[in-house]
Amino acid sequence: MPPVAADTTPASDLSAYGVARSTVSGTPLSAEELRRTHAYWRACNYLALGMIYLVENPLLKEPLRPEQIKNRLLGHWGSSPGLAFAYVHMNRLIKKYDLDAIFMAGPGHGAPGVLGPVYLEGTYSEIYPDKSEDEEGMREFFKQFSFPGGIGSHCTPETPGSIHEGGELGYVLSHACGAAFDNPELIVAAVVGDGESETGALATSWHINKFLSPIRDGAVLPILHLNGYKINNPTLLARISHEELEQLLRGYGWTPYFVEGSDPDSMHQAMAATVEHAVCEIRRVRQEARATGVAERPHWPMIVMRTPKGWGAPLEVGGHRLEGFWRAHQVPLSDVKKNPEQLRLLENWMRSQKPEELFDATGKLLPELKALAPTGVRRMSANPHANGGVLKRALRLPDFRTYAATITQPGTSEAENTRPLGVFLRDVMKMNMDNFRVFGPDENTSNKLDAIYQVSKKFWIAERFPEDADGTELAPDGRVIEMLSEHTMEGMLEGYLLSGRHGFLSSYEAFVHVIDSMFNQHAKWLSICNHLSWRQDVASLNLLITSTVWRQDHNGFTHQDPGFLDVVVNKSATVTRIYLPPDVNSLLSVSAHCLRSENYVNVIVSDKQMHLQYMDMEAAIRHCTKGIGIWEWASTDSNGEPDLVMAAAGDIPTQEALAATVLLRTEFPDVKIRFINVVDLFKLQPSTEHPHGLTDRDFDSLFTVDKPVIFNFHGYPWLIHRLAYRRTNHANMHVRGYKEKGNINTPMELAINNEIDRYSLAIDAIDRTPRLQRIGAHAKERFRNMQIECRNYAYEHGIDSPEINTWTWPY
């Protein structure tokens, strides 16, 4: 192999030090503006240090003493100065052009760099009066940070102006894009950490620029903050050549403008010129597109801001490099309470910000500095788009009953469960063309929701080929968003909801796991918001899980995983809901309910293939309202106690459980069976654990206190045990579900492998019911023979037998 040429980029080109180097030239700040801008930034940095270190002496009116230092030092200084720097320069442009803008900190661990300017704007004190704009309020403001009974160390829901916590990295651009949708005047300044830029979620979200319409939507201004290091490692984008980085970002479709250096005066001038250039470019693109009515794909501006890690920290401590190195990532001086030299360094560092030139004797920011920030709702910390419930309008919904499937007899006709839902969503879209969107990772047609395209196509302003006109459903004004990235779709939806709108996302069941942790983060956000009176309720996150495990026999083992439900159950009962509607009408009823709800994550599990239909619309509404109930038409115990209870949750498990009861009734005509269907999974939990849970008395009435219960479940069987373990009759509950036994099977073979099939259930019922156990040996033999016949037929013909495929309820 020929030798590989070494990267010849001079290290100085990648340095975060020195006089500013910038793509955009100019010195737009007058000497006085420069002085005040730098002073305001120093005030932000002073507050950031105070939050990390101090519990007393907030204005340093006396020498700093160890007892004035927090006992446990938490927080991240490393990215805080850069975040505050970007925030301050956004404020200047908001004031100059009366911009509607919000700020998102991708590296949310740099929260001190955001909380500082939020406090200086006055918003923090307005919401939390005990954190007043005076010495005592500043002391409380410092003490609460990363302190028991206070606030966390990220841009948590308690942070005014935040709809992006930045705890888990990777979502800032997708959240920003969601907030910008249908907000034509909004600019979202989204700081991307260079560590964050290494995540898969962030890497794919650079493509948001293909989904923002310059006519209809707002804009996202990414600010890639290169400070060079993560916790203990260099960052990749900070160590590739200037040319390579620029080509990468241009390849993603952005126009990058660089601002690099550490000299404060020249960096302020460079950043002021660059942010203004970017804002003017955004305004120009908008104006041209809106004047012509032509939505072409712009190469939106973005900023690459390279500054030292922990900018402003002591250069060296204890013989080790600090500023500009990974040691400045978290708490730069970690032993100040016990080490007198470190205490001296901290005091000198804080005094170098010259707080006496920033705050008056009472601790209030000087008026000349206060005047630099916007006022009212133009403050990014007070912008209503960052408290979306303030702006949220109720969704206008058609009457879901009009989309009902006609049912004359339970279990005798089939329909595709999700297709009528697509028609319903089509009309929801039609009635809410500026505050409702449907998202999906290239699966809306596959998931039988394609009726929505009759009202609005998929948004597309990238290149098009002539053949795209043949059913691809693309349009430059489409409101359906599809991209093969569950991360980006989920992030866009979250940003859309948190800024006050409504939406719906569908995904294949096996791959919804891609957003496990995103769901976790959103659920945690909602949980905290429930305790904040000033946070107005937002629309629920509605997630349809389809292409489910029991109809993934053709795609095989990799597409069989119902475990997302286990993840959902881990989260707070105040924000999570799980529904398993078994047919069209129950799916419509559940979906309409979910679209009207607020502050939840609603998970709806429904397959897209042909399934038996059980309930007319009125019966479905009653059943879904209860969430759980006895199906009288499938039960034979109306005149007394049942011999056994057959229960099911999910479409295929319900079908197989019903078929099992038919087998049992054929063999044992006098058997008394109670059939229970569960739509609302949390009904199984006690009412003390979940607001939807049944009381113990109601649960015992349904499931008895001593009779065998055969429960056929859509997901992993142990989840039912987990929900019901405190119930009186739990010892007699025998749950069947997916057990990781799959391959390229027929549907019935897959069910048999995992023992949710009608024959396994009937055999189980015989074994668990004492009277049947004594007389059921011959029946069990017949059922096993039927299983063998099913397998043999599948292996010979590649499909299930007509007896299986055409089975209907016979009574």
Side-chain angles (χ1 to χ4, degrees), residues 402-422:
T402 63
Y403 305 86
T406 301
I407 308 297
T408 54
Q409 284 287 108
T412 59
S413 61
E414 287 190 328
E416 294 170 317
N417 283 351
T418 58
R419 193 170 293 282
L421 175 62

Side-chain angles (χ1 to χ4, degrees), residues 626-642:
K626 293 184 294 183
I628 185 173
I630 298 171
W631 280 2
E632 298 285 353
W633 55 268
S635 302
T636 59
D637 69 325
S638 58
N639 295 323
E641 276 194 316

Side-chain angles (χ1 to χ4, degrees), residues 200-277:
L202 193 286
T204 193
S205 69
W206 287 115
H207 290 296
I208 63 167
N209 54 19
K210 286 85 172 173
F211 295 94
L212 288 167
S213 166
I215 297 175
R216 181 183 58 199
D217 300 325
V220 176
L221 176 60
I223 303 172
L224 175 59
H225 186 200
L226 298 180
N227 60 29
Y229 292 91
K230 303 184 286 286
I231 293 175
N232 189 23
N233 215 44
T235 56
L236 295 174
L237 294 189
R239 294 295 181 93
I240 63 176
S241 72
H242 206 287
E243 179 185 16
E244 186 179 353
L245 178 58
E246 182 173 354
Q247 289 175 346
L248 174 69
L249 298 172
R250 287 189 181 278
Y252 273 122
W254 299 92
T255 302
Y257 298 98
F258 287 76
V259 179
E260 306 167 280
S262 62
D263 171 65
D265 285 358
S266 60
M267 283 294 287
H268 281 301
Q269 292 285 15
M271 192 65 172
T274 302
V275 176
E276 183 158 9
H277 181 87

Side-chain angles (χ1 to χ4, degrees), residues 639-657:
N639 295 323
E641 276 194 316
D643 295 316
L644 70 112
V645 176
M646 184 72 73
D651 37 36
I652 291 299
T654 295
Q655 173 188 293
E656 290 304 304

Side-chain angles (χ1 to χ4, degrees), residues 492-601:
M492 287 178 176
L493 174 57
E494 289 176 5
Y496 199 59
L497 299 175
L498 292 172
S499 54
R501 281 72 63 75
H502 306 259
F504 194 90
L505 169 66
S506 68
S507 180
Y508 281 15
E509 182 175 56
F511 306 124
V512 73
H513 277 299
V514 171
I515 58 168
D516 277 2
S517 57
M518 292 189 77
F519 154 76
N520 286 338
Q521 297 296 311
H522 189 72
K524 289 173 183 290
W525 179 278
L526 293 177
S527 295
I528 296 295
C529 287
N530 283 335
H531 301 286
L532 301 173
S533 60
W534 62 273
R535 284 276 184 190
Q536 299 300 303
D537 290 347
V538 297
S540 296
L541 194 157
N542 299 306
L543 176 57
L544 173 67
I545 293 178
T546 186
S547 298
T548 57
V549 53
W550 303 112
R551 284 297 179 264
Q552 285 298 321
D553 44 273
H554 60 298
N555 277 320
F557 199 30
T558 58
H559 285 56
Q560 299 164 6
D561 190 329
F564 186 70
L565 301 185
D566 299 70
V567 177
V568 176
V569 168
N570 289 334
K571 296 280 94 58
S572 169
T574 62
V575 299
T576 50
R577 303 290 185 266
I578 298 174
Y579 301 100
L580 295 104
D583 64 1
V584 164
N585 291 336
S586 56
L587 175 58
L588 287 167
S589 178
V590 163
S591 298
H593 167 78
C594 291
L595 287 171
R596 287 191 297 267
S597 67
E598 297 177 325
N599 273 34
Y600 298 140
V601 178

Side-chain angles (χ1 to χ4, degrees), residues 40-259:
Y40 198 99
W41 182 53
R42 291 192 343 253
C44 295
N45 292 338
Y46 182 83
L47 294 176
L49 289 170
M51 281 180 264
I52 293 173
Y53 287 102
L54 300 187
V55 290
E56 297 288 350
N57 194 15
L59 292 172
L60 296 183
K61 288 184 175 179
E62 58 183 82
L64 199 55
R65 303 193 305 273
E67 59 269 26
Q68 295 166 345
I69 303 296
K70 292 180 178 180
N71 289 314
R72 186 170 63 155
L73 299 177
L74 298 171
H76 295 74
W77 170 255
S79 58
S80 291
L83 286 168
F85 190 76
Y87 197 109
V88 169
H89 282 278
M90 276 301 299
N91 270 352
R92 172 179 167 267
L93 274 298
I94 292 170
K95 286 205 69 174
K96 181 170 181 178
Y97 295 107
D98 191 31
L99 300 179
D100 189 8
I102 59 175
F103 189 89
M104 293 189 188
H109 50 265
V114 177
L115 287 164
V118 169
Y119 176 80
L120 295 179
E121 289 176 348
T123 316
Y124 210 92
S125 301
E126 292 168 12
I127 293 175
Y128 307 107
D130 59 325
K131 315 302 186 300
S132 48
E133 295 180 82
D134 54 31
E135 184 174 4
E136 178 58 23
M138 188 184 295
R139 187 188 70 80
E140 290 293 327
F141 180 65
F142 286 173
K143 180 181 177 180
Q144 68 159 358
F145 180 77
S146 283
F147 201 85
I151 60 172
S153 62
H154 295 76
C155 295
T156 61
E158 293 93 340
T159 305
S162 175
I163 55 171
H164 176 83
E165 180 161 341
E168 184 183 8
L169 301 176
Y171 312 138
V172 67
L173 292 182
S174 56
H175 279 169
C177 183
F181 282 147
D182 297 319
N183 275 326
E185 301 306 316
L186 187 66
I187 295 178
V188 186
V191 179
V192 179
D194 51 354
E196 178 181 29
S197 71
E198 298 174 9
T199 65
L202 193 286
T204 193
S205 69
W206 287 115
H207 290 296
I208 63 167
N209 54 19
K210 286 85 172 173
F211 295 94
L212 288 167
S213 166
I215 297 175
R216 181 183 58 199
D217 300 325
V220 176
L221 176 60
I223 303 172
L224 175 59
H225 186 200
L226 298 180
N227 60 29
Y229 292 91
K230 303 184 286 286
I231 293 175
N232 189 23
N233 215 44
T235 56
L236 295 174
L237 294 189
R239 294 295 181 93
I240 63 176
S241 72
H242 206 287
E243 179 185 16
E244 186 179 353
L245 178 58
E246 182 173 354
Q247 289 175 346
L248 174 69
L249 298 172
R250 287 189 181 278
Y252 273 122
W254 299 92
T255 302
Y257 298 98
F258 287 76
V259 179

Side-chain angles (χ1 to χ4, degrees), residues 692-707:
H692 284 201
L694 292 175
T695 65
D696 286 337
R697 288 186 176 182
D698 284 342
F699 190 93
D700 291 347
S701 292
L702 285 174
F703 289 94
T704 78
V705 296
D706 58 0
K707 296 297 187 286

